Amino acid sequence: MTADELARAIAASGVRDTARVAEAARAVADWLARAPADEVAEGLAAAADPGAALDQLARLLPAAEAPPAPGRVAPLLRLLGGSPALAGALVAEGAAWPALVAAVHEVPARGPDAQRAALAAAGASGPLSRADLQAALRRHRRRELVRIGGRDLLGLASVEDTVRELSALAEGVLDAAVASVRARLAAEWGEALVPGEGRPAAFVVLGMGKLGGEELNYSSDVDLVYVYERDGEQAAGRTLGQFFSRLAEEVTRALGEVTGDGLVFRVDLRLRPGGGEGPVAVSLPAALSYYEAWGQTWERAAWLKARAVGGDRALGERLIAELMPFVYRRYLDFGTLEDLEAMKRRVDASLRGPQAARDVKLGRGGIREVEFFVQAQQLVHGGKDPRLQVRSTLGALAALAATGYVEPALAVSLAAAYRFLRDVEHKLQIVQERRTQSVPSDPDALLALARRLGFRGAEAAAEFEAARARHGAVVRGAFAALFHGAEEERRREAEPELALLIDELDQPERALWRLGRLGFRDLESAYRELRLLRDGPPHAPASARRRAALVRLAPALLTEISRSAAPERALHHLATFVSTIGARTSYLHLLLENPGVMRLLVRLFATSEFLSAFFLRHPEVLDSLVRADLMRIVRAREDVAAELAARLAAAPDLESRLDTLRRFRHEEFLRVGVHDIEGTLEPAEVERQLTHLAETCLAAALAIARREVLARAGVPDVPESEGLAVLGLGTLGGGELGYASDLDLIFVYDPGDPAWWSGRAVPHEFFTRIAERTISALATPTREGIAYRIDTRLRPSGNQGPLVSSLEAFAAYHRTGARLWERQALIKARVVAGAPALGARLEAIVAEFVYGHGLSPAEVAEIAGVRARIERERGAADEQAVNIKTGRGGLVDVEFLVQMLQLRHGQVHPAVRVRDTPGAITALAAAGLLPPADARALAEGYAFLRALESRLRLEHNQPLEVTAADPAALLSLARRLGYDGTDAAAVAALRADHARHGEAIRAVYDRHFASGAP
């Protein structure tokens, strides 16, 4: 292929100056003639600057006449045409350049260990002089840059691969520098020893920023902090501080000093304690004291990515662990957003003029905005959710999506934008290894950049600019929504008149008049609540910062309260909430930054006394409402279990695991309750979701307990020690758990081979301890409260019996000593945790006891007698109030009748052995044991009463099984249940439906018990 033919062949790829290409080709015509023509055309068509590729080839060939190897021609031309800096590095290698090019293809990656080994092999070890160390490090860095940059340019490495490799290179270089300089200093000054111990004092280099996050680019500074373990005097009169300051200075020079070979990495020490005014190296105690006393938000953000990258890793990990409470606050920290926004404003202020729009790092929609978006939410939520404590930007973004703090689709778009922008940054810097993030405006330079990024054809530059605009818009939108969206939404929603109300609170008459205009009835109470809201309680008056937050929040907040179903109730609970949180303004900042959460909280306070009380006991779950996955109405049990397992795995100790378990339960409980009051969950699904949550928490508690007992007893974790199963009864067993339900449990074990336990533990005592710790894991109060109340009174012999029973003893008891009420209770029994094989055997024993024979007429009468006693003792009511559970025609009528029929016919009709009441009614009807009309009356009545029971619990925060006589309460109940019409008509319709269902249930109850009694 002639030079002219070559120029014509590549013209279609968008190359403009084909004449220059033809001219450059003539200088290497002989080499090109020996190369495969299609590879030459391919390589030049893909090169950012084909003419430059041939020019650089002409510089290389005199040093080593490397024959054009098939399959390697196109990559070589593409590399040479993509980066003058890499071409220059190859020229500097002289005759060895072909080996360096081969490494691009043959060495896919080097981690820190491989870098350290390569440096040692290249002579960068031992007590080298400063000049020798600098030369060795720069030579290694130059060669590695060709390999890493070449793979990047050729598309052999992803953005993540490239930044990880550059970071590993920096880590290897730092380790080599620390070891060499310390060896040299030890020879000159004597080793730095810990006073009184005689061992070498520990010293660590911490990588911050992009180095810590393993995200370096080609021209990144390395942000370093040098720390040594403690201060002390040395034998020669020097201090440890002097030794390690000299060590730090020499390491800095080894990397960052410009020599004839250039530099390795520029070093930035401004992130150290005290910044530019602090000592170059600082002791561990001094560093901790500094951050405890003076640490600021920008320093917290800097330490998000901190990682030990040189020297003693254990010391680095110790420091990072000690600083975790400083970096990740235990409380919700939305006030951080204000600080980060101020930092971003300072960045914006430094970018002026048209060039700002072309800066892919600091400009609007650039890399820094993605990093701010991610780091802000890590700082806000990471103290409460350790799963977010991830160093890399892409890793943290994935964690935010996986844990529900960011919508998955947005996270995917932001990750794509971040990769694109980082790739652009790389392709800008690889040209001359310069610190630049600015997209060129010169047409030729822009086209070369676009081609370097893989855009081809005549429209390459335009397509690149379109892609940049598209990704930038995603970033700008996400950043603006996080930092500015809430304020705009509050301003849009707030009613101006309500903004005046807070200002008028010091004018009581004026404030009372305005409250009346807004529809409040008890004006004095509303006025007091507003004063409490603004000023705080007398024992904890509002700080200036909290008052400022409330002033900003008040207009939108009061607008939402005034629009709610019960403004007085909502205002009262909100004032109580603000009093409860005291000086923790972080919760107010959360509401400021999340208007949707504010609206949801007001609706919750206005519509549910029960959830309001729960929330006021656990205000810390407010941050769970921020999570995007709260919008998931129904969650599969496997999904719930996987999330809890992930959270527990991140908890460092038993206390943390117990707190994590409770917090998870509270968050999920609130999720179900919120969807219930919003009307997006049917009552039956509420019960299923609450049941799945309880089963998940119980299984986790059992695992925690077992792990603790195994460790204390010294029993191995093998199948023989797994022989414990947990039976759930009542609403848990039936899958009908309610908001206030206890967990009715029975613990049963099977020790297996007695010989295995010899010399290890007594099986009964071992499994009793596991059961006790399981109960404790759920029911013992911690700072997060309790998870569940546990009731074990349904076990064999009740409170008089042992907490756990062996399988053999359980079976024997139910063969010989169990009573009819225990048989009735075990209808709903279901294994809800523990060993599956044991669970199957246990359920078989239960089924034989419950359904092994029918019911005699005397037993039917006994069940009816128990029901009558319950009605007499707990079902009393008057004409205006009726007990919907234990009263005539109540839930207990349905349950006792259904259970009587199951016990009576279950032996012959296995299909009726169903644990939940609605399912049992359906099965009895299908078997012909309930006439269709009776089944319909029971099913409809039961569904009505369960919905009424659940709504009473939510509305009034009492175990209200009695429909209230208060017309206002009944009206609220009727409206929540969907009754329309006038207030009087809605209440009347509710009463009528209740009476109709009750009479229908009692009629069916009487008919069937009469037919079965003697």
Side-chain angles (χ1 to χ4, degrees):
M1 180 180 288
T2 67
D4 291 336
E5 289 173 336
L6 181 61
R8 286 195 296 273
I10 65 172
S13 70
V15 176
R16 291 173 180 164
D17 193 352
T18 56
R20 178 172 178 272
V21 175
E23 179 63 29
R26 291 186 179 94
V28 288
D30 181 60
W31 191 90
L32 293 176
R34 289 181 288 134
D38 57 338
E39 285 198 44
V40 173
E42 176 193 343
L44 293 175
D49 187 339
L54 295 170
D55 289 341
Q56 298 294 352
L57 180 62
R59 294 177 65 200
L60 281 180
L61 292 178
E65 177 57 40
R72 297 286 174 89
V73 171
L76 175 61
L77 292 172
R78 189 172 170 187
L79 187 157
L80 294 175
S83 170
L86 297 189
L90 287 172
V91 171
E93 284 295 306
W97 74 260
L100 215 51
V101 171
V104 172
H105 300 276
E106 296 166 7
V107 182
R110 281 195 174 117
D113 288 340
Q115 291 289 352
R116 283 187 281 269
L119 281 157
S125 62
L128 301 177
S129 69
R130 181 189 300 157
D132 288 345
L133 177 61
Q134 288 176 332
L137 296 181
R138 281 151 183 75
R139 186 167 54 249
H140 178 75
R141 188 258 187 192
R142 183 182 68 219
R143 291 170 175 169
E144 277 298 279
L145 195 66
V146 171
R147 184 183 64 82
I148 297 168
R151 294 184 62 77
D152 180 14
L153 279 173
L154 297 179
L156 300 175
S158 67
V159 170
E160 289 98 314
D161 294 333
T162 300
V163 297
R164 192 162 44 243
E165 284 243 64
L166 289 167
S167 302
L169 170 61
E171 188 170 346
V173 165
L174 276 163
D175 255 333
V178 169
S180 179
V181 172
R182 183 159 188 170
R184 171 156 51 91
L185 280 181
E188 294 174 2
W189 290 8
E191 181 57 274
L193 303 176
V194 176
E197 298 183 33
R199 61 174 176 82
F203 173 82
V204 67
V205 185
L206 291 147
M208 317 290 281
K210 286 185 168 59
L211 175 55
E214 297 182 88
E215 299 169 322
L216 281 184
N217 57 45
Y218 294 113
S219 299
S220 289
D221 295 354
V222 289
D223 296 303
L224 304 180
V225 175
Y226 298 112
V227 178
Y228 56 96
E229 66 175 294
R230 53 170 287 187
D231 286 306
E233 297 287 336
Q234 296 293 283
R238 294 189 181 92
T239 65
L240 286 176
Q242 289 171 322
F243 181 94
F244 289 117
S245 291
R246 179 64 180 275
L247 174 56
E249 290 165 359
E250 287 293 319
V251 169
T252 300
R253 295 182 71 173
L255 269 68
E257 192 168 77
V258 178
T259 72
D261 297 318
L263 50 72
V264 185
F265 290 100
R266 279 177 296 273
V267 176
D268 190 335
L269 303 180
R270 289 175 296 174
L271 296 183
R272 69 186 187 269
E277 305 301 318
V280 175
V282 63
S283 70
L284 175 68
L288 296 174
S289 297
Y290 170 84
Y291 290 113
E292 182 179 351
W294 306 105
Q296 300 177 51
T297 298
W298 69 265
E299 290 172 305
R300 293 176 55 211
W303 279 89
L304 283 173
K305 295 177 180 292
R307 181 172 64 94
V309 293
D312 191 305
R313 269 44 175 197
L315 177 61
E317 292 305 317
R318 180 180 164 195
L319 173 59
I320 290 169
E322 293 267 11
L323 287 178
M324 280 295 102
F326 163 69
V327 178
Y328 293 106
R329 304 285 168 81
R330 284 195 60 82
Y331 57 82
L332 203 62
D333 195 16
F334 268 90
T336 297
L337 291 182
E338 291 183 353
D339 296 334
L340 289 174
E341 188 178 355
M343 290 165 59
K344 182 61 171 63
R345 282 197 300 270
R346 289 194 292 273
V347 172
D348 291 345
S350 68
L351 290 172
R352 298 296 186 195
Q355 201 57 28
R358 308 192 71 78
D359 192 312
V360 296
K361 179 179 180 180
L362 302 177
R364 297 290 172 84
I367 293 167
R368 184 57 55 85
E369 288 193 351
V370 181
E371 293 170 344
F372 269 55
F373 178 89
V374 172
Q375 291 170 17
Q377 297 188 83
Q378 286 183 282
L379 290 173
V380 167
H381 302 292
K384 287 286 189 180
D385 197 335
R387 294 172 297 170
L388 303 182
Q389 296 176 12
V390 179
R391 291 186 177 100
S392 73
T393 300
L394 288 172
L397 192 53
L400 286 165
T403 50
Y405 296 100
V406 174
E407 289 285 357
L410 176 59
V412 168
S413 296
L414 282 172
Y418 182 77
R419 290 187 181 96
F420 176 84
L421 294 168
R422 289 301 306 269
D423 200 16
V424 173
E425 183 182 44
H426 287 166
K427 299 308 190 288
L428 286 167
Q429 295 179 350
I430 196 67
V431 180
Q432 296 291 358
E433 283 191 72
R434 289 178 184 159
R435 297 175 66 188
T436 178
Q437 299 92 223
S438 185
V439 174
S441 52
D442 173 73
D444 290 339
L446 180 63
L447 176 61
L449 172 62
R451 291 173 60 79
R452 208 172 287 117
L453 287 159
F455 293 91
R456 299 285 181 268
E459 299 301 318
E463 290 172 5
F464 160 67
E465 288 286 36
R468 187 167 74 92
R470 184 172 65 252
H471 288 300
V474 170
V475 175
R476 280 196 305 276
F479 183 85
L482 179 64
F483 286 93
H484 307 298
E487 185 176 355
E488 293 172 5
E489 187 175 342
R490 288 197 312 273
R491 190 182 304 116
R492 194 167 54 246
E493 293 291 327
E495 294 181 8
E497 185 176 9
L498 289 166
L500 300 173
L501 187 53
I502 291 293
D503 295 332
E504 293 173 346
L505 287 180
D506 294 323
Q507 307 170 49
E509 292 184 3
R510 183 74 180 170
L512 290 168
W513 171 81
R514 197 173 297 278
L515 283 167
R517 274 174 51 91
L518 292 169
F520 287 87
R521 290 174 296 190
D522 189 342
L523 302 182
E524 292 291 343
S525 292
Y527 177 74
R528 284 195 302 274
E529 304 288 7
L530 277 174
R531 288 293 299 261
L532 181 62
L533 190 64
R534 186 192 71 175
D535 302 335
H539 66 275
S543 65
R545 191 178 185 199
R546 191 173 87 173
R547 286 186 66 138
L550 275 170
V551 166
R552 291 171 58 199
L553 182 63
L557 188 60
L558 294 176
T559 297
E560 198 62 35
I561 288 173
S562 69
R563 294 173 180 172
S564 70
E568 272 95 354
R569 179 196 289 178
L571 179 58
H572 170 72
H573 288 319
L574 193 68
T576 304
F577 169 70
V578 172
S579 298
T580 301
I581 63 175
R584 289 174 287 179
T585 57
S586 55
Y587 289 123
L588 298 180
H589 282 287
L590 183 150
L591 299 179
L592 273 169
E593 298 296 338
N594 297 275
V597 173
M598 179 200 70
R599 289 192 292 270
L600 181 58
L601 185 63
V602 170
R603 286 200 299 277
L604 183 151
F605 283 158
T607 55
S608 174
E609 286 287 346
F610 174 72
L611 289 179
S612 295
F614 171 81
F615 197 91
L616 293 171
R617 286 196 305 274
H618 302 287
E620 69 281 354
V621 301
L622 178 63
D623 62 314
S624 70
L625 299 180
V626 178
R627 291 172 50 182
D629 63 356
L630 181 73
M631 301 312 295
R632 284 186 287 174
I633 297 171
V634 175
R635 296 186 70 183
R637 179 180 173 181
E638 296 75 17
D639 178 34
V640 174
E643 181 177 346
L644 177 57
R647 291 207 200 181
L648 289 171
D653 51 41
L654 176 61
E655 181 182 359
S656 299
R657 285 191 285 274
L658 296 184
D659 283 341
T660 297
L661 176 64
R662 282 153 177 72
R663 182 174 174 78
F664 179 80
R665 183 265 180 186
H666 298 336
E667 291 176 4
E668 282 296 296
F669 186 87
L670 185 61
R671 177 185 65 82
V672 175
V674 164
H675 285 304
D676 192 359
I677 65 172
E678 296 279 88
T680 50
L681 273 181
E682 294 296 322
E685 189 58 52
V686 170
E687 294 171 354
R688 272 192 294 274
Q689 291 283 290
L690 291 174
T691 300
H692 290 163
L693 174 59
E695 291 169 352
T696 300
C697 292
L698 176 59
L702 180 62
I704 290 170
R706 183 170 175 273
R707 188 183 311 118
E708 291 295 313
V709 173
L710 285 173
R712 288 175 179 269
V715 173
D717 183 2
V718 293
E720 287 83 354
S721 62
E722 291 178 349
L724 182 68
V726 187
L727 274 176
L729 294 88
T731 54
L732 174 61
E736 302 169 297
L737 210 66
Y739 289 111
S741 297
D742 296 349
L743 303 188
D744 295 306
L745 305 178
I746 295 176
F747 294 89
V748 180
Y749 72 93
D750 179 12
D753 181 7
W756 186 87
W757 291 92
S758 179
R760 288 193 169 99
V762 176
H764 185 83
E765 294 177 359
F766 175 79
F767 290 113
T768 296
R769 286 201 295 273
I770 293 179
E772 289 170 343
R773 287 186 175 271
T774 300
I775 293 171
S776 176
L778 293 167
T780 298
T782 73
R783 62 184 172 189
E784 297 281 355
I786 68 167
Y788 290 96
R789 290 183 298 274
I790 306 300
D791 191 336
T792 60
R793 290 175 295 176
L794 294 178
R795 67 184 186 269
S797 301
N799 282 340
Q800 305 306 311
L803 179 61
V804 301
S805 300
S806 69
L807 187 66
E808 182 181 354
F810 182 85
Y813 174 85
H814 288 96
R815 278 196 307 269
T816 59
R819 288 162 289 180
L820 179 59
W821 70 264
E822 291 175 292
R823 188 178 166 202
Q824 187 179 349
L826 286 173
I827 288 173
K828 292 183 177 292
R830 176 172 62 94
V831 172
V832 291
L838 173 58
R841 294 162 60 198
L842 181 56
E843 288 191 350
I845 292 171
V846 169
E848 175 60 28
F849 168 62
V850 174
Y851 296 112
H853 57 88
L855 281 181
S856 67
E859 288 174 318
V860 172
E862 183 180 343
I863 292 173
V866 172
R867 169 67 186 110
R869 186 174 72 251
I870 291 172
E871 185 177 347
R872 285 194 307 273
E873 294 174 356
R874 290 187 277 160
D878 55 34
E879 292 183 359
Q880 292 297 314
V882 181
N883 193 310
I884 64 171
K885 184 171 184 179
T886 57
R888 174 186 171 83
L891 288 164
V892 174
D893 270 5
V894 180
E895 291 165 351
F896 269 57
L897 171 55
V898 168
Q899 291 163 11
M900 182 273 286
L901 292 173
Q902 288 178 287
L903 292 174
R904 190 174 177 185
H905 301 291
Q907 182 184 28
V908 178
H909 298 275
V912 306
R913 301 176 184 182
V914 179
R915 296 181 179 93
D916 68 289
T917 302
I921 293 171
T922 301
L924 288 164
L929 302 173
L930 261 180
D934 288 358
R936 186 165 53 253
L938 292 177
E940 291 177 357
Y942 189 79
F944 173 84
L945 292 172
R946 284 305 297 261
L948 192 59
E949 179 187 45
S950 176
R951 192 53 55 190
L952 283 166
R953 162 63 71 179
L954 281 174
E955 288 273 338
H956 298 288
N957 188 30
Q958 296 174 18
L960 274 180
E961 297 151 359
V962 179
T963 56
D966 176 18
L970 273 181
L971 175 61
S972 173
L973 189 62
R975 295 301 189 202
R976 295 295 296 175
L977 289 169
Y979 287 90
D980 298 322
T982 66
D983 291 353
V987 170
L990 171 60
R991 285 190 177 281
D993 280 351
H994 181 221
R996 175 173 57 81
H997 284 300
E999 288 304 319
I1001 289 169
R1002 179 46 68 97
V1004 175
Y1005 177 92
D1006 285 344
R1007 188 159 53 251
H1008 284 273
F1009 268 98
S1011 67

